[in-house]
Amino acid sequence: MASFIWFLSVVFYAKLMCAESTDKLVSLDCQGEIHGVYGEDSLLKCSVKSSGDPVKIIMVSWWRTGEDTPLFVVSNGEIVQQKDQRFSLAHPGSSIDVSFLVKNTKRTDEGKYQCQVITDSGEDQSVISLYVIATYSQPDMSSVPEKDIVEDTEITLFCNASGGYPVGMVHWYGVFGTNWTRSAVTTVEKTTDKRVNLSSKYTLRASSSFPTYRCSVLNSKGVEEGKAELHLPFREQSVKATDPEKGALNVIRMQRIQT
Ligand SMILES: *[C@@H]1O[C@H](CO)[C@@H](O)[C@H](O)[C@H]1NC(C)=O
Ligand SMILES: *[C@@H]1O[C@H](CO)[C@@H](O)[C@H](O)[C@H]1NC(C)=O
Ligand SMILES: *[C@@H]1O[C@H](CO)[C@@H](O)[C@H](O)[C@H]1NC(C)=O
């Protein structure tokens, strides 16, 4: 009985000490939200604050919240768990800065991360949210039919941009800056790595008086990330061999249109 009471008091004392040190001696100060970019490095900033003497860090662990195994653990200066080569501490060996570095950030890295730190003077933990955006590829424009377009026939133009996030927009313009966006339909395809492809389709009647179309890809904030231009590939008119002078004139006229 006596030993049991002794045990209880030890547990109670330990709890008291722990609570005291968490409240007073050591705290973990983390940036609440980080905005990362696909393909770049993301720094999840956390530092250990102590009110008294400098503390010695015994263990640092980083977790995805809700997961059973940690992403990264350093115990007494040794890496004992590293789930992915892209994960590391930004300043290994520092007794203050326990920031987590995610190299070559992926869209699937988006989520909540928990940092836990155990020092010789107490422990603390904190949660950071990582958001990851992705820039769209430069758009590719194409036409159906691909070439030999005949005057006054129906054609379809495409403007595709891939690998962005969040969902963006495609705007269409004609040769004199006419805004054709309302005549186009943009579809969004999700990629397996949680990005999106945009494919915008614009169907029109071909006219050599309006031979050029432009499209512009904007991110979710309306900022242009890329643009492309397409000159409708009209069928070359056959030049009549019987009238060499007129034929030469036609060639000159066509060159003017093309340049
Ligand atoms: C754009 O996407 C459409 C529909 O997915 C496809 O038919 C077309 O070939 C694509 N164009 C280019 C240039 O990738
Ligand atoms: C073109 O039209 C779209 C859709 O109506 C609009 O969002 C966009 O701002 C217009 N572009 C310009 C340059 O006005
Ligand atoms: C998205 O675009 C990329 C690059 O064009 C392509 O490789 C991928 O298959 C596309 N994914 C989907 C779901 O459309």
Side-chain angles (χ1 to χ4, degrees):
M1 187 65 190
S3 67
F4 181 67
I5 287 171
W6 178 84
F7 174 74
L8 270 187
S9 55
V10 167
V11 169
F12 183 70
Y13 179 71
K15 276 201 159 174
L16 198 72
M17 280 306 289
C18 197
E20 195 172 288
S21 40
T22 308
D23 288 348
K24 286 177 184 164
L25 289 177
V26 171
S27 68
L28 193 54
D29 189 10
C30 295
Q31 200 171 320
E33 241 180 60
I34 305 286
H35 293 264
V37 178
Y38 178 89
E40 294 181 9
D41 295 350
S42 302
L43 186 63
L44 280 60
K45 283 186 186 166
C46 276
S47 57
V48 177
K49 296 265 185 304
S50 63
S51 52
D53 295 330
V55 297
K56 184 178 179 295
I57 292 178
I58 295 162
M59 190 154 96
V60 179
S61 55
W62 277 92
W63 305 67
R64 277 297 278 261
T65 60
E67 282 184 9
D68 297 337
T69 51
L71 300 172
F72 192 85
V73 180
V74 174
S75 178
N76 291 308
E78 300 263 328
I79 297 171
V80 294
Q81 161 82 336
Q82 185 176 26
K83 207 174 172 188
D84 190 321
Q85 290 295 318
R86 300 181 301 122
F87 300 153
S88 63
L89 289 188
H91 299 98
S94 167
S95 60
I96 296 165
D97 192 336
V98 293
S99 301
F100 190 48
L101 182 65
V102 178
K103 284 193 182 142
N104 186 17
T105 310
K106 298 177 178 176
R107 268 283 305 143
T108 46
D109 290 328
E110 183 167 285
K112 285 194 164 79
Y113 291 77
Q114 184 173 46
C115 179
Q116 295 180 339
V117 63
I118 299 172
T119 75
D120 59 354
S121 315
E123 57 183 89
D124 199 10
Q125 56 189 35
S126 188
V127 173
I128 293 189
S129 297
L130 173 66
Y131 298 95
V132 181
I133 59 159
T135 310
Y136 285 93
S137 68
Q138 284 303 303
D140 270 329
M141 271 178 114
S142 57
S143 67
V144 178
E146 227 176 308
K147 56 186 170 118
D148 292 339
I149 290 176
V150 176
E151 189 77 25
D152 203 33
T153 54
E154 192 178 87
I155 58 166
T156 301
L157 305 184
F158 285 101
C159 176
N160 303 351
S162 59
Y165 191 85
V167 173
M169 293 162 273
V170 178
H171 289 173
W172 288 85
Y173 300 96
V175 68
F176 303 117
T178 322
N179 192 339
W180 292 114
T181 306
R182 284 173 193 279
S183 309
V185 177
T186 301
T187 51
V188 176
E189 289 252 30
K190 289 188 173 131
T191 67
T192 48
D193 67 352
K194 292 195 169 181
R195 292 183 290 157
V196 295
N197 289 355
L198 301 176
S199 177
S200 189
K201 180 178 168 178
Y202 170 35
T203 301
L204 65 147
R205 270 199 179 268
S207 161
S208 52
S209 313
F210 306 100
T212 307
Y213 290 87
R214 283 193 297 117
C215 74
S216 162
V217 173
L218 300 94
N219 66 20
S220 62
K221 290 185 171 152
V223 177
E224 185 179 78
E225 289 192 346
K227 57 185 171 192
E229 195 174 90
L230 183 76
H231 302 279
L232 298 187
F234 280 100
R235 174 180 293 171
E236 284 198 35
Q237 276 143 2
S238 49
V239 175
K240 278 195 187 126
T242 46
D243 191 347
E245 239 173 64
K246 210 176 172 193
L249 269 178
N250 271 342
V251 169
I252 289 165
R253 267 187 55 213
M254 275 175 56
Q255 279 171 344
R256 281 224 185 108
I257 286 169
Q258 277 164 1
T259 49

